[in-house]
Amino acid sequence: MTAQPPPGPNPPSPAPASSPANRTMLWPFVVFGLGLLLIFNSSGTFAEGQSQVRPAAAAPAPASAPATPSATASTPAGPALPRSAPKRLSITDIAVDAPFIPLSIGASGQLNAPPPNDKNLVGWFQGGVTPGERGASIVAGHVDTKTGPAVFLQLSWLKPGSKVDIAREDGTVATFKVDSVETFSKARFPNERVYADTPSPELRLITCGGEYDRKAQDYTANVVVFAHLDSVRRA
């Protein structure tokens, strides 16, 4: 599933609809200061990364309690919002308008994934900060599914300055401004840079990218959109 040009965009060459069904999306995941390497696959779960990828640490992230800035984090910069779950993601530049589903880490140590049969759905890691809270909020989505293109197909087309709106349950809309859109090889994914604590509210949009390796039945890279909280308004 997945291959998101979630994040990022240079649209990865999506695999044709006839490609093998068990495609996967790798998201090396570092939360709470612990490295967690995950693969998002079409079976509906995130599995631990294979040996060719080197996670920052082997321990899985806790499934409870939101991530909080570490003691070594720099002085907080700018305002932040209280915790409130996201309801809907809107990115006008790439025609995205999708509801959220919370993602959590199950008893097996795997991060549950959004349903693979829903092409217009994004997930957020509910064990971390919510969009608008101080820290880096993690949002992921499919670039395609077994039935065709999905919500983050054009994620890599975003550019610095693009706006990302997230409607929250508390009635506010947090608008993030894109700082950069980058593509990283799954074998050299910069865990610390993507998942490290931040002193101000930030957002990471993640999906698969790069070329589709038919033999491995996986995309070769991940697209990551880095963004910061720009403004807040009432819905």
Side-chain angles (χ1 to χ4, degrees):
M1 124 174 177
T2 46
Q4 323 164 229
N10 69 12
S13 315
S18 60
S19 61
N22 63 332
R23 25 181 102 154
T24 61
M25 178 176 74
L26 176 65
W27 293 336
F29 210 80
V30 173
V31 183
F32 307 112
L34 297 178
L36 180 61
L37 188 64
L38 303 167
I39 295 179
F40 187 34
N41 57 44
S42 56
S43 65
T45 62
F46 285 95
E48 292 183 358
Q50 303 303 311
S51 60
Q52 70 268 23
V53 183
R54 295 175 296 131
S64 62
T68 55
S70 64
T72 58
S74 57
T75 302
L81 298 175
R83 187 171 182 80
S84 180
K87 294 175 56 179
R88 199 161 193 93
L89 174 71
S90 177
I91 310 177
T92 302
D93 287 358
I94 54 175
V96 166
D97 183 12
F100 276 94
I101 185 172
L103 305 179
S104 60
I105 297 174
S108 65
Q110 296 179 331
L111 182 66
N112 298 323
N117 59 344
D118 192 330
K119 297 183 291 185
N120 191 49
L121 186 66
V122 291
W124 67 283
F125 178 55
Q126 65 179 348
V129 301
T130 59
E133 278 191 284
R134 207 174 303 284
S137 181
I138 308 302
V139 173
H142 298 287
V143 66
D144 62 11
T145 68
K146 291 178 284 187
T147 59
V151 62
F152 276 166
L153 177 68
Q154 299 177 329
L155 189 65
S156 62
W157 294 11
L158 292 179
K159 299 183 181 303
S162 292
K163 298 294 183 66
V164 176
D165 290 331
I166 296 182
R168 303 174 1 130
E169 287 186 349
D170 64 1
T172 60
V173 176
T175 297
F176 293 82
K177 181 180 288 188
V178 173
D179 297 310
S180 66
V181 180
E182 303 181 47
T183 299
F184 304 108
S185 165
K186 290 184 178 180
R188 295 181 297 279
F189 193 87
N191 290 9
E192 290 294 341
R193 181 180 172 196
V194 175
Y195 300 112
D197 291 331
T198 60
S200 57
E202 296 192 14
L203 179 68
R204 306 288 186 261
L205 303 178
I206 306 175
T207 193
C208 283
E211 298 296 324
Y212 183 77
D213 185 332
R214 293 180 180 278
K215 183 176 181 180
Q217 298 182 354
D218 192 10
Y219 284 81
T220 60
N222 285 115
V223 173
V224 180
V225 171
F226 295 82
H228 68 274
L229 182 64
D230 183 62
S231 64
V232 180
R233 70 176 188 276
R234 299 300 302 179

